[in-house]
Amino acid sequence: MYSIGDLSRRTGVKIPTIRFYEDKGLLPKPERTAGNQRRYDAAALKRLIFIRHCRDLGLPLADVVGLLSLEGASGSDLNRAHEIAQKQLADLRDRIARLQNLEAELTRISAACDGQHDHVCAVLHAFQDHGECMGPRGAE
């Protein structure tokens, strides 16, 4: 059996977050000692490691709940796990593309200034006019 502090140390999940997961039903309510201290079993540790890994991969809490609901599932019910992974991959690729566009735009903006300050600063001008941004998200 593990105390909440032990669980936190073993998983790297902060104590308030563990309590939050309990409140949301992601972790079962732990047994309590006579002194009212939480005591977690190996299954709770394993589940918290699973949750932590999902969160480290960027999955939203709703998808973590969806994956946890598949515990013990079989057959076509497991397609949901694949769908969640595919959606997360697509979202990640979209974020990467947006970050690459941001990188290109900031590279362009930072190169707009020749370092001479005897004229209007091109960097300030570029930051003032979002319409000059390159890429598909620039016109927003």
Side-chain angles (χ1 to χ4, degrees), residues 31-79:
E31 294 180 21
R32 298 275 185 158
T33 66
N36 204 28
Q37 293 180 335
R38 291 172 167 89
R39 290 289 181 238
Y40 299 87
D41 60 13
L45 174 64
K46 184 177 175 182
R47 180 173 267 223
L48 188 55
I49 290 169
F50 177 87
I51 294 167
R52 169 72 192 262
H53 190 212
C54 288
R55 298 296 284 157
D56 285 348
L57 291 171
L59 277 97
L61 212 48
D63 286 344
V64 176
V65 170
L67 290 171
L68 287 170
S69 74
L70 296 172
E71 189 174 20
S74 62
S76 63
D77 289 341
L78 294 174
N79 290 343

Side-chain angles (χ1 to χ4, degrees), residues 10-138:
R10 289 174 181 268
T11 63
V13 177
K14 294 181 179 178
I15 291 172
T17 305
I18 294 171
R19 290 183 184 131
F20 173 80
Y21 291 156
E22 284 175 22
D23 290 344
K24 294 296 180 186
L26 277 77
L27 282 175
K29 295 287 182 188
E31 294 180 21
R32 298 275 185 158
T33 66
N36 204 28
Q37 293 180 335
R38 291 172 167 89
R39 290 289 181 238
Y40 299 87
D41 60 13
L45 174 64
K46 184 177 175 182
R47 180 173 267 223
L48 188 55
I49 290 169
F50 177 87
I51 294 167
R52 169 72 192 262
H53 190 212
C54 288
R55 298 296 284 157
D56 285 348
L57 291 171
L59 277 97
L61 212 48
D63 286 344
V64 176
V65 170
L67 290 171
L68 287 170
S69 74
L70 296 172
E71 189 174 20
S74 62
S76 63
D77 289 341
L78 294 174
N79 290 343
R80 180 72 182 122
H82 182 75
E83 291 167 4
I84 289 170
Q86 289 294 99
K87 180 184 176 298
Q88 185 62 19
L89 180 59
D91 289 348
L92 177 64
R93 287 179 174 156
D94 181 58
R95 283 194 308 269
I96 289 170
R98 284 185 281 140
L99 286 171
Q100 288 172 331
N101 285 339
L102 286 173
E103 178 187 32
E105 182 56 16
L106 286 170
T107 299
R108 184 189 70 79
I109 287 172
S110 65
C113 184
D114 59 8
Q116 303 300 315
H117 299 290
D118 57 352
H119 60 288
V120 175
C121 179
V123 172
L124 289 177
H125 176 73
F127 276 122
Q128 290 172 1
D129 189 357
H130 192 57
E132 291 187 10
C133 289
M134 300 179 334
R137 298 182 60 81

